[in-house]
Amino acid sequence: MASYQIDQRGGHYDDLRAGTIASMLANINRDSKVKREPFGTLDFIPWNEVHQVEADEVKPVLLDDPDAQSELLLSMMFPNKAA
């Protein structure tokens, strides 16, 4: 990514190539009744500039009780683990 930021070529294009292949495979196996819009290349590159706007809008969930915060973290990381 550092190389891309300097000279605007390199790893970013590799990511686009990989995203193109991933979107092609996803569209081949896509159920058009469930997802009517086809997948795009940038749908598979979450660190791309297009997705940064969405990431900036996400706010963390912070609870006042430390034990409740720990329970929340564990339930999100291990949803099938019984307490």
Side-chain angles (χ1 to χ4, degrees), residues 12-81:
H12 186 73
Y13 289 108
D14 295 336
D15 293 342
L16 288 174
R17 287 185 195 105
T20 301
I21 293 168
S23 66
M24 178 193 62
L25 291 172
N27 284 323
I28 289 170
N29 296 301
R30 175 177 54 97
D31 184 1
S32 61
K33 294 176 185 167
V34 175
K35 180 167 175 29
R36 299 193 64 75
E37 293 294 319
F39 291 103
T41 301
L42 297 179
D43 292 335
F44 297 94
I45 307 174
W47 51 88
N48 194 298
E49 294 87 6
V50 173
H51 296 287
Q52 286 179 354
V53 174
E54 296 170 3
D56 292 340
E57 296 173 0
V58 175
K59 302 291 182 202
V61 176
L62 301 174
L63 303 176
D64 291 332
D65 182 22
D67 292 330
Q69 185 76 38
S70 296
E71 292 284 330
L72 177 64
L73 287 171
L74 287 173
S75 69
M76 295 303 291
M77 292 172 61
F78 308 104
N80 296 327
K81 184 177 179 183

